[in-house]
Amino acid sequence: MSSDGNKRQFWKRNAAKVPGSIQHVYGAQHPPFDPLLHANLIKAGNKPPPATPGKPKKATTFQEFESTTSDAWDVGDDDDELLAMAAQNLNIEVVMETANKVIENHSRQQERQRQDDTTELEQREEEEVAEDEEEDEEDEEDRVEEGDMTSPEVSLASQSSPYTDGRLVKSHSEAPIGSPKDVAGEPAALHRQRSLPHRPPLIPLVARMADQNTSGTLAMTEREASRLDKFRQLLAGPNTDLEELRKLSWSGIPRQVRPITWKLLSGYLPANAERRESVLQRKRQEYFGFIQQYYDSRNDEHHQDTYRQIHIDIPRMNPESLVLQPKVTEIFERILFIWAIRHPASGYVQGINDLVTPFFVVFVFEYIEEEVENFDVSSLQEEALRNIEADSFWCMSKLLDGIQDNYTFAQPGIQRKVKVLEELVSRIDESVHRHMQHYEVEYLQFAFRWMNNLLMRELPLRCTIRLWDTYQAEPEGFSHFHLYVCAAFLVRWRKEILEEKDFQGLMILLQNLPTMHWGNEEVSVLLAEAYRLKFAFADAPNHYKR
């Protein structure tokens, strides 16, 4: 017990020297030491240490070591002695006067800085307003004189804006939101943002030009303008060269020409320009003939289960802001029900509903200029809605004709593709393959959805549309090339996969991959890697196997 008493006294006696103990800091950001605030501490420092009752004990080994060793945090006098010396050397009135002067000086400097910032921002605001008015007047004159048919959004995107550090605004979703006064405070806010972690920019469902990416690149570069001209020249000819159109489309299709390009590449429209209008009219009339013939049977005993499942699945689709509009829900129900009735070998299968959305959104942009996120589809003219609905039906039908075995009984197409995906990944990244085998993760548990929905549940809609540009341009893009895209997509998350050390963690990762802020740049890299894999393995199927 006496030994324990010595230890307690030792630590109590040397508490000031324990590493990590609070030390007082003096400098430009701290006022000088105020002895009144530490009166008790000073008194305690002047008192001699209390005597320990009982006879003196022999010092322990650690006590001997401590007595001959300097503390790294406090070499020299004890804190109490330093504080006492400071109290003796400093006059309290001088200390308080100095502290008050420092505080007053700091307050004046802050007030002066705020006034200077306010004056500068007001001047900048006035200059920006004046410049914007001049640019608007010049643009209006140019449009009147040149007969420019460019949409308001595109013309806005082509102007340099003070809000983007010299970059061009791609869409209204990137433009500053708020009052002019809020905008005037941008320089100060920008300084604060630079010290914070990077936040990806707000990205619309479908980007303006080359499917805006997460890095916020220019809306209309010279290269993109040149590509758009090439598309327009190619499409303006009497007979469109579909092979050349596929080559151009592989790297992405500009939004302005995407609707007609998709219709041509899917086989819905003929290459001959003179026949296109008559084909469109005939196919649209044919579709609404199916509506009159079959749609009333949706409540019949044989078809009510199909219709009920469609009705349940549509609200689960993305984007909710679009598909939950009553008019859109009605259109999707008709498209999916008519397709199921006309394809009894497969009927309606969950997953087919997602394949309507990209076509619908792309064809809506034939008639609107604003973004689709908050657009009220019912505001379109009835004829436009009918055209969008019929075109979406026929293009989706063309797509499904090439992958219908994905949706027949037992879905053999998907089963086969998942097996090939497993063999392919085992060849291109054995570490990932063995890691999933070790934790008993079956490819069918996560890749089934990749094949069934064509990665639509894994990627934002803007990325899906960019991906489908290449799928439409690639021979057997949806049925064959998609396999290599899935392989590249899986290996893309190699680091994250190998970091997971249990079955549950792997499944949560693979079913919730962080692609929310993906854009054109990420999809382009994914497609390039998929093409490399296809080049290496497509013509050598034995490479799949060991």
Side-chain angles (χ1 to χ4, degrees), residues 110-179:
Q110 284 189 326
E111 182 64 26
R112 192 181 303 113
Q113 182 65 31
R114 280 196 295 268
Q115 292 175 356
D116 293 342
D117 290 343
T118 302
T119 304
E120 181 181 353
L121 292 176
E122 289 176 353
Q123 293 175 353
R124 188 173 302 173
E125 177 185 354
E126 294 174 359
E127 293 175 359
E128 290 172 355
V129 171
E131 290 176 0
D132 290 344
E133 291 177 353
E134 293 177 1
E135 290 176 0
D136 291 342
E137 293 175 359
E138 292 175 359
D139 291 342
E140 185 64 27
E141 293 175 0
D142 292 341
R143 282 196 290 271
V144 172
E145 294 173 1
E146 299 176 7
D148 188 3
M149 301 301 292
T150 306
S151 66
E153 288 78 8
V154 174
S155 63
L156 281 172
S158 64
Q159 297 176 8
S160 178
S161 171
Y163 317 125
T164 56
D165 294 332
R167 297 177 301 168
L168 300 183
V169 177
K170 298 174 193 59
S171 65
H172 289 304
S173 63
E174 279 193 83
I177 300 174
S179 64

Side-chain angles (χ1 to χ4, degrees), residues 339-340 343-349 352 404 407-409:
W339 189 90
H343 295 82
S346 62
Y348 172 75
V349 178
I352 294 177
Q404 192 167 352
Y407 305 103
T408 54
F409 178 74

Side-chain angles (χ1 to χ4, degrees), residues 495-508:
K495 178 177 177 292
E496 291 82 356
I497 289 172
L498 295 179
E499 287 176 352
E500 296 294 339
K501 301 301 182 183
D502 57 57
F503 173 85
Q504 182 179 0
L506 281 167
M507 289 304 301
I508 291 175

Side-chain angles (χ1 to χ4, degrees), residues 274-291:
E274 294 180 356
R275 294 179 51 224
R276 290 174 192 165
E277 190 60 34
S278 61
V279 168
L280 280 176
Q281 291 181 3
R282 176 171 58 83
K283 299 297 283 185
R284 289 166 179 171
Q285 290 175 2
E286 186 178 355
Y287 168 73
F288 284 102
F290 295 152
I291 296 291

Side-chain angles (χ1 to χ4, degrees), residues 1-14:
M1 292 299 293
S2 60
S3 175
D4 292 340
N6 284 338
K7 290 180 182 178
R8 284 195 297 271
Q9 292 168 5
F10 162 74
W11 287 112
K12 182 176 181 181
R13 186 168 59 250
N14 295 277

Side-chain angles (χ1 to χ4, degrees), residues 199-214:
R199 175 189 288 180
L202 179 63
I203 305 176
L205 287 175
V206 182
R208 278 278 149 199
M209 254 316 279
D211 290 348
Q212 170 190 25
N213 57 39
T214 55

Side-chain angles (χ1 to χ4, degrees), residues 88 168-169 257 285 353 395 400 424 439 443 445 447 496 527:
Q88 294 174 2
L168 300 183
V169 177
V257 295
Q285 290 175 2
N353 53 311
C395 287
L400 289 171
L424 181 58
Y439 293 106
Y443 282 72
Q445 293 170 325
E496 291 82 356
L527 289 167

Side-chain angles (χ1 to χ4, degrees), residues 246-377:
R246 288 190 180 94
K247 291 179 181 178
L248 273 178
S249 301
W250 206 99
S251 301
I253 304 171
R255 169 181 156 166
Q256 293 91 328
V257 295
R258 182 176 278 133
I260 187 172
T261 303
W262 276 25
K263 292 173 187 176
L264 286 166
L265 294 179
S266 66
Y268 176 44
L269 283 185
N272 185 277
E274 294 180 356
R275 294 179 51 224
R276 290 174 192 165
E277 190 60 34
S278 61
V279 168
L280 280 176
Q281 291 181 3
R282 176 171 58 83
K283 299 297 283 185
R284 289 166 179 171
Q285 290 175 2
E286 186 178 355
Y287 168 73
F288 284 102
F290 295 152
I291 296 291
Q292 294 178 355
Q293 184 177 355
Y294 299 117
Y295 196 60
D296 288 340
S297 66
R298 63 188 181 278
N299 294 318
D300 292 354
E301 182 180 355
H302 298 294
H303 299 144
Q304 62 182 1
D305 289 342
T306 297
Y307 179 75
R308 183 174 66 251
Q309 189 61 54
I310 292 171
H311 188 73
I312 291 172
D313 288 345
I314 288 177
R316 301 172 180 170
M317 296 166 59
N318 290 318
E320 292 183 354
S321 60
L322 180 68
V323 299
L324 293 182
Q325 296 182 33
K327 193 67 176 179
V328 177
T329 301
E330 179 184 336
I331 290 172
F332 278 32
E333 286 178 352
R334 285 198 294 262
I335 291 174
L336 294 169
F337 182 78
I338 296 301
W339 189 90
I341 293 298
R342 297 189 70 248
H343 295 82
S346 62
Y348 172 75
V349 178
Q350 286 179 307
I352 294 177
N353 53 311
D354 284 326
L355 306 184
V356 182
T357 309
F359 291 113
F360 183 83
V361 169
V362 167
F363 297 151
V364 162
F365 277 104
E366 282 189 281
Y367 302 93
I368 69 172
E369 294 295 341
E370 57 266 42
E371 300 301 340
V372 74
E373 288 95 325
N374 301 312
F375 179 74
D376 182 7
V377 174

